[in-house]
Amino acid sequence: MTSATTEKQRERQIFRVTLWGSVVNFLLLVFKFVAGIVGGSAAMIADAVHSLSDFITDVVVILFVRISGKPCDAGHDFGHGKYETLASALIGLMLMAVGIGILWSGATQIVHVCQGHTLAQPGMIALVAALLSIVSKELIYQWTARVGRRVESQAVIANAWHHRSDALSSIGTAVGIGGAIVLGPEWRVLDPIAAVVVSVFIIKVSVQLFVPSIQELLEKSLPEADESFIINTILEQPGVSAPHNLRTRRIGSNRAIDVHFRMDGSTPLVEAHHATRQIEARLRAKFGPQTIITTHVEPLK
């Protein structure tokens, strides 16, 4: 199987799971808006806005992953993988904005209740919409996260967490709506309280997605364990010694490795080339066939 075929299969998997996620998001956001309006639930309308952000995120992932899958060209010697990283950063920012919005809305409602205001009781259709959202979005999260880990796409994993954040948001909405319906007017404050708690988790996840993406865009090196593996792999090759000037980084789902090492100056060119290819083969077996490896052979001093 060629690397081009592998990349096409990867792109096809990403496109498929994201497309289905966007279909679910679209149907949910329409149902949530209807349920929020008919059921008189501000919390459900806010939940619908959250689903709308998920739908927009799906569109972003489809566009950016297709761009990142393009091969190297004259203007992008290392490929287009950074576009995928940029998509992850944008999703993290969008997720953070949604979390802060939910936090602000919930806190405002709590203040209103403390000031003596009574929240309106939502209708049963709003509770049904919240329960449907919890189940469907958790199923979509599990599928999307599994595909994201399989194809090593941070953008897809970020999108999966956006699905789960919507499910978590719907849990808070369901608790609030259910409490308001069953327990009476004095318990309607459960809705904004639950929303505030959920928003904290959403913001935490957004930071966990955003920070690694920014680090990658700022050319952060691979983890120490990966760099140790690279050094040890070079040292295991007969006739090769003194690996140095190691530079590593991620480019979307791929890695780039640049390293110098030494060989005896009398080594025939064919043998030196063979040793280099064996090292590169072992590194690509570890980090993936699309890994960009640049080796510099220097004479042994």
Side-chain angles (χ1 to χ4, degrees):
M1 184 181 296
T2 66
S3 59
T5 301
T6 302
E7 187 61 35
K8 287 182 179 179
Q9 290 179 342
R10 175 179 182 271
E11 185 178 320
R12 191 179 301 116
Q13 291 183 60
I14 293 174
F15 180 80
R16 182 180 176 220
V17 71
T18 305
L19 181 62
W20 275 107
S22 65
V23 170
V24 171
N25 283 332
F26 179 75
L27 294 176
L28 272 178
L29 71 89
V30 171
F31 183 46
K32 285 181 178 180
F33 272 122
V34 172
I37 294 173
V38 174
S41 172
M44 181 48 61
I45 293 177
D47 213 23
V49 173
H50 194 184
S51 292
L52 177 61
S53 73
D54 262 359
F55 180 72
I56 295 174
T57 298
D58 290 332
V59 175
V60 170
V61 170
I62 291 174
L63 292 177
F64 276 80
V65 170
R66 281 192 173 276
I67 294 174
S68 70
K70 292 182 178 180
C72 302
D73 56 33
H76 302 83
D77 294 333
F78 291 94
H80 299 73
K82 292 290 186 181
Y83 286 94
E84 189 172 331
T85 307
L86 179 60
S88 297
L90 291 176
I91 293 172
L93 280 177
M94 293 172 63
L95 196 57
M96 184 179 297
V98 170
I100 293 174
I102 294 174
L103 175 64
W104 179 264
S105 176
T108 301
Q109 291 184 32
I110 293 173
V111 170
H112 287 168
V113 171
C114 292
Q115 292 174 343
H117 297 278
T118 301
L119 299 178
Q121 177 178 314
M124 184 60 69
I125 188 175
L127 179 59
V128 173
L131 295 176
L132 178 63
S133 176
I134 294 170
V135 175
S136 60
K137 293 314 294 283
E138 178 62 22
L139 291 176
I140 289 295
Y141 160 77
Q142 294 291 343
W143 183 24
T144 306
R146 186 165 59 250
V147 172
R149 289 190 293 267
R150 184 190 308 143
V151 302
E152 296 186 349
S153 171
Q154 291 302 315
V156 175
I157 293 174
N159 198 28
W161 274 105
H162 211 160
H163 289 311
R164 172 161 278 185
S165 74
D166 203 9
L168 292 174
S169 176
S170 294
I171 290 175
T173 303
V175 170
I177 295 174
I181 294 174
V182 176
L183 301 177
E186 64 273 14
W187 289 99
R188 293 174 189 172
V189 73
L190 285 175
D191 187 359
I193 290 177
V196 168
V197 173
V198 172
S199 69
V200 173
F201 288 99
I202 294 176
I203 293 172
K204 179 182 177 183
V205 171
S206 71
V207 172
Q208 292 173 338
L209 295 173
F210 180 71
V211 171
S213 298
I214 290 300
Q215 289 177 336
E216 183 177 333
L217 290 173
L218 296 177
E219 303 294 338
K220 188 177 187 298
S221 302
L222 295 181
E224 184 177 347
D226 289 343
E227 293 200 338
S228 295
F229 177 85
I230 295 170
I231 295 297
N232 292 332
T233 298
I234 294 173
L235 292 175
E236 289 171 359
Q237 181 66 32
V240 176
S241 62
H244 57 286
N245 289 352
L246 173 62
R247 295 184 295 176
T248 62
R249 57 175 171 158
R250 286 189 67 98
I251 304 177
S253 60
N254 300 327
R255 284 87 166 172
I257 301 171
D258 188 300
V259 64
H260 296 235
F261 53 81
R262 295 193 171 98
M263 299 185 70
D264 192 304
S266 61
T267 303
L269 181 60
V270 173
E271 291 184 17
H273 179 76
H274 178 69
T276 299
R277 289 294 173 264
Q278 285 190 319
I279 292 173
E280 292 179 356
R282 287 198 294 271
L283 291 178
R284 289 196 172 94
K286 166 71 174 178
F287 299 112
Q290 301 298 321
T291 303
I292 300 171
I293 304 175
T294 306
T295 54
H296 307 269
V297 182
E298 301 173 356
L300 185 63
K301 296 180 179 179

